[in-house]
Structure formats: structure tokens, C-alpha cells
Amino acid sequence: MFKIAAWYDNYQAPAVLMIDDLSDAYIDLYPESYKNDWGYLGDQEGSAYHFLQQELLDFYPDIKITFFIPYLRHGILNENCNYPIQKYALGERLEYQQFLQKLIASGHEIAHHGSNHGRYVNPNLCTVGQNWIHEWALFDTVEKGVNVTQKGIELFKQTTGVTIVGGKYCGYVAIQNSAEIIDQCNFLYWCDNGHYQSNDTHYFGKNRIFSFPTSFAGNKFIRLSYITGDASRDRQKRYMKYLQPLYNLLAYYQLYQLYKHRKIISIQEHISPSTTWGTVQSSNIVTDIKSLNKIFGFLCPRNIWYATCAEIATYRYIKENSILEWDSNKLTIYFTNTRKLSETVLSITHQNPFSLQQECVIYHSEQKNGLQTVNIPITDGYNEFEYTIKDN
Ligand SMILES: [Zn+2]
């Protein structure tokens, strides 16, 4: 029986590292520069990215990252809190633009994450919580939200040449009109459904935006043992660290369940531990580096498709919108490419070896994850491909 594979090349499951809040910013807080860096230092030695490269990507070079990036000066870094801050908007410093272009050239993705991420109710207070409002909760009209969001898409295009296709609500906070804003901007995917949901079959809006799940916390394997910098929380946690090994068993089980059921494994992180409110940013690549190594160490021997959110959403979209028909020697695929997705494929599986021939081009199947698989290119416009099936 011919089938459209669940994932590209019939991989068992896709995995992406999602890093929020990369920004052209730096807070002078810790003696080590990589802990202070939010993106200002680019990929130079001492930067947050260089730390990630050395401590994770060098060991697991297949990892793909989607960076969720606010395009204005990051609002949550408060200038009134006695920590020297440098922060810039996208387009203000060429070095930062070049850094983003390098990330894209390395196969990573940059995605939308608001303009300035939100604002303080009282900027003279250094606390967040009740004193901070995330960006999408501030859009009183759909029109305003669409304008601010479109401006970001245009600025990314101008400065880096990239077409943004997805994004995430700041702090996952949305109000009634938020979905309408995202729908009007016609993103391919959007992380809209709060933390740690493995449901990857949800779409919203007239344009059927793929609701991208956030399925695994990057800090799972250290959550009970790290020091937050908040004295009362750290006092409460002082015995919890002994439960971490037990909690790890649960974390491995959850990770395996995502893998086994062919769900999207999307690992949630932030770029930096440094904040202007004094405590460590919950879930960040520096504090969580051991946890991230455990996660990717678990995934490494398995049949994982390392891909960006955009690549995963693209495959999912084509799969859901394609029709496959076959009889004894003909296989036809129908797909209307209204989103103009290019340089992409659809993977077809069968139990036995087979070939598909279209005029002079022949695709021979290969054994992938227990099934014979071929990858058929998808082109712009209406795709109606008829292939002659040949037994190998
Ligand atoms: Zn954020």
C-alpha cells in the first residue's frame, strides 16, 4: 500500500530547538560575557551563540534551531535597574544583521516574536509579573496588530533578505483578537497554544495557520536542582534537587512517548539567563546546557529529522493538503501549492521496493525507518504528477 509518509524521508519524528528572545542586546551582570549576551556579541568568542556552539552544536551538529526574535529594542530589558544595558533594534547595527544572516546560512530559522515584546506598567519598578504586559495583550485593534506585525516581516526582509513564515506570541499571551491578527498576516505556522502541548493537528483562522506545538521544556533535566536567584524559591527548592533523578525518568518517558507517537519534538529555551529583575531567566541555554545535552544525547541514536519549525510546518502542510491515488501501475499526486512553497518534497512509502518514473526521471525507493521510501519534489502552482510504478 502506498502512503504519504508522516514525516520527510519517513523519519520517525522531527526535532527542533526553539530559542526565544534573541536580540541585539547585552546586560552587564555576570563576570562571564556569554551569560550577559542576548545576541549583541553575534557568534564571536565569549558570545551566547559561541557558548552554544562549543557546548552543544559541536557534539550534535545536525541540530536545527528556530530563533524567535523581537525586531525592536527588547522592552523587557529595563534601563532603570542599575545594570548597564546596551540594546538596539534590527537595522541599527550591521554586525547584528550579518550575524542573523550567518544563522540562516547555517540552516537555522529566524521567526517573528513581536516588535518590543511588551511594556512595563511602571517602568520605574524593576519587577515583572503584574508589572509587565506582553505585546499581543496590548493590541486594542486587529488593524494595529497587523500593522506592527507586517512592519517586522518587511524589516526582516530588508535587513536579512529572509521571508518570515512563522512566529510565536510573546510569553504565549494572546487576547481575543490575536488569532485574527496572525490570520490576516497569513503566517504558515504560529506557536499559539501555550506551553508544552504535544497536539500537532490544530489549525486556526481562515488561512488555516498551523498551530505549532511546544512539546518539551529544555530545562527538564535540571529543573529541580538549579539556583534561580530568588531567595525564597531557592530555599523551597533546597530538598527538591534530590528528586531530580526520579523526575529525569519521567522526562525520558515523555520524550520517548513523543518519539514513539511520531509527534513534533520542539524543545523550548531562551537565549540568556541575565535579566534586569535580578533572578535567572527561567529556561535558558546557559543554565540548561546539561539538560540540553541529555535531551540531544537521547535523540542522537534515534531516527530523528532535525529541522526548523518552518521545515516541519511546510512538510506537514503539504502532507495534509495532498491527495494520493494509485492503481496497478500508475500513482498520481494532487497538490495545490497556493502558499508557493518551493524546494520541498513529499515522501511516499511502500512495504516493498519500487520505482516511480516520470518521463526520463526515475526515483528509486530506499529503505527508511522500516519502509521503502521515495521523495518527490513539489513545484510551484498546481501539482498533478502521474508516475509509472515499477517493481524493483
Ligand atoms: Zn519572548
Side-chain angles (χ1 to χ4, degrees), residues 370-391:
L371 287 172
Q372 291 288 319
T373 307
V374 296
N375 299 316
I376 302 297
I378 294 295
T379 56
D380 203 355
Y382 179 61
N383 289 246
E384 183 181 335
F385 296 130
E386 199 176 89
Y387 296 95
T388 307
I389 305 167
K390 299 195 166 165
D391 293 338

Side-chain angles (χ1 to χ4, degrees), residues 39-160:
Y40 173 81
L41 296 179
D43 62 348
Q44 63 179 280
E45 209 165 312
S47 66
Y49 186 76
H50 190 256
F51 169 84
L52 189 69
Q53 184 84 53
Q54 281 198 312
E55 301 294 329
L56 187 73
L57 305 181
D58 282 353
F59 302 118
Y60 307 107
D62 294 335
I63 294 175
K64 294 277 191 88
I65 308 170
T66 295
F67 291 94
F68 294 87
I69 304 179
Y71 66 88
L72 294 181
R73 296 180 179 196
H74 205 308
I76 207 155
L77 304 180
N78 190 337
E79 294 94 334
N80 305 319
C81 303
N82 292 326
Y83 300 113
I85 294 175
Q86 296 189 68
K87 58 176 182 174
Y88 301 92
L90 179 62
E92 287 185 320
R93 269 193 344 123
L94 188 62
E95 294 92 328
Y96 182 66
Q97 282 170 222
Q98 288 168 339
F99 170 50
L100 296 189
Q101 283 167 333
K102 268 192 201 171
L103 295 177
I104 297 159
S106 307
H108 304 308
E109 179 195 2
I110 58 179
H112 210 286
H113 196 46
S115 61
N116 61 2
H117 209 288
R119 70 168 168 80
Y120 284 95
V121 178
N122 179 356
N124 294 316
L125 290 176
C126 290
T127 55
V128 276
Q130 298 296 315
N131 192 33
W132 173 259
I133 308 172
H134 281 298
E135 183 158 338
W136 263 267
L138 290 164
F139 292 138
D140 41 19
T141 65
V142 169
E143 196 188 6
K144 187 175 162 193
V146 169
N147 281 340
V148 172
T149 308
Q150 293 285 14
K151 256 190 201 151
I153 295 170
E154 284 157 26
L155 190 64
F156 278 113
K157 183 83 190 165
Q158 268 171 28
T159 55
T160 66

Side-chain angles (χ1 to χ4, degrees), residues 38-331:
W38 282 53
Y40 173 81
L41 296 179
D43 62 348
Q44 63 179 280
E45 209 165 312
S47 66
Y49 186 76
H50 190 256
F51 169 84
L52 189 69
Q53 184 84 53
Q54 281 198 312
E55 301 294 329
L56 187 73
L57 305 181
D58 282 353
F59 302 118
Y60 307 107
D62 294 335
I63 294 175
K64 294 277 191 88
I65 308 170
T66 295
F67 291 94
F68 294 87
I69 304 179
Y71 66 88
L72 294 181
R73 296 180 179 196
H74 205 308
I76 207 155
L77 304 180
N78 190 337
E79 294 94 334
N80 305 319
C81 303
N82 292 326
Y83 300 113
I85 294 175
Q86 296 189 68
K87 58 176 182 174
Y88 301 92
L90 179 62
E92 287 185 320
R93 269 193 344 123
L94 188 62
E95 294 92 328
Y96 182 66
Q97 282 170 222
Q98 288 168 339
F99 170 50
L100 296 189
Q101 283 167 333
K102 268 192 201 171
L103 295 177
I104 297 159
S106 307
H108 304 308
E109 179 195 2
I110 58 179
H112 210 286
H113 196 46
S115 61
N116 61 2
H117 209 288
R119 70 168 168 80
Y120 284 95
V121 178
N122 179 356
N124 294 316
L125 290 176
C126 290
T127 55
V128 276
Q130 298 296 315
N131 192 33
W132 173 259
I133 308 172
H134 281 298
E135 183 158 338
W136 263 267
L138 290 164
F139 292 138
D140 41 19
T141 65
V142 169
E143 196 188 6
K144 187 175 162 193
V146 169
N147 281 340
V148 172
T149 308
Q150 293 285 14
K151 256 190 201 151
I153 295 170
E154 284 157 26
L155 190 64
F156 278 113
K157 183 83 190 165
Q158 268 171 28
T159 55
T160 66
V162 77
T163 303
I164 298 281
V165 298
K168 183 186 284 184
Y169 290 132
C170 302
Y172 288 96
V173 172
I175 56 172
Q176 236 171 10
N177 65 17
S178 306
E180 178 66 29
I181 295 168
I182 304 310
D183 193 19
Q184 284 199 21
C185 294
N186 197 15
F187 286 96
L188 172 65
Y189 75 89
W190 195 260
C191 308
D192 74 316
N193 53 3
H195 279 68
Y196 313 123
Q197 304 200 11
S198 59
N199 178 6
D200 52 16
T201 54
H202 177 59
Y203 292 82
F204 67 91
K206 284 191 212 79
N207 291 307
R208 287 186 53 79
I209 316 284
F210 177 47
S211 173
F212 203 100
T214 302
S215 58
F216 203 81
N219 66 357
K220 275 255 168 160
F221 292 94
I222 56 130
R223 185 180 278 172
L224 304 183
S225 53
Y226 85 101
I227 305 296
T228 66
D230 175 327
S232 72
R233 261 178 79 195
D234 288 340
R235 244 193 326 277
Q236 284 168 14
K237 283 181 75 170
R238 94 199 119 146
Y239 298 115
M240 278 165 68
K241 65 180 175 197
Y242 298 110
L243 293 174
Q244 185 69 54
L246 213 60
Y247 192 72
N248 289 355
L249 294 178
L250 181 69
Y252 279 127
Y253 175 76
Q254 288 170 337
L255 208 48
Y256 183 68
Q257 288 302 307
L258 290 170
Y259 177 75
K260 182 179 157 194
H261 296 291
R262 311 195 80 170
K263 299 280 189 188
I264 296 169
I265 303 168
S266 49
I267 298 141
Q268 168 64 25
E269 278 297 349
H270 292 90
I271 187 74
S272 179
S274 61
T275 67
T276 49
W277 55 92
T279 59
V280 176
Q281 165 98 276
S282 173
S283 107
N284 70 80
I285 56 164
V286 175
T287 313
D288 303 346
I289 197 67
K290 280 194 178 139
S291 180
L292 289 170
N293 271 282
K294 280 203 161 74
I295 294 168
F296 286 102
F298 178 85
L299 298 179
C300 183
R302 293 182 163 78
N303 193 246
I304 294 289
W305 176 32
Y306 294 95
T308 62
C309 294
E311 288 166 336
I312 296 168
T314 298
Y315 187 86
R316 171 50 65 99
Y317 177 84
I318 296 171
K319 177 185 182 281
E320 304 264 303
N321 291 285
S322 293
I323 296 168
L324 180 72
E325 286 176 0
W326 82 95
D327 57 28
S328 57
N329 68 343
K330 285 234 172 313
L331 180 138

Side-chain angles (χ1 to χ4, degrees), residues 1-3 326 348-354 365-367 370-373:
M1 188 170 162
F2 289 97
K3 269 188 173 176
W326 82 95
I348 313 289
T349 61
H350 193 274
Q351 300 90 315
N352 302 320
F354 67 102
S365 67
E366 283 180 47
Q367 184 80 357
L371 287 172
Q372 291 288 319
T373 307

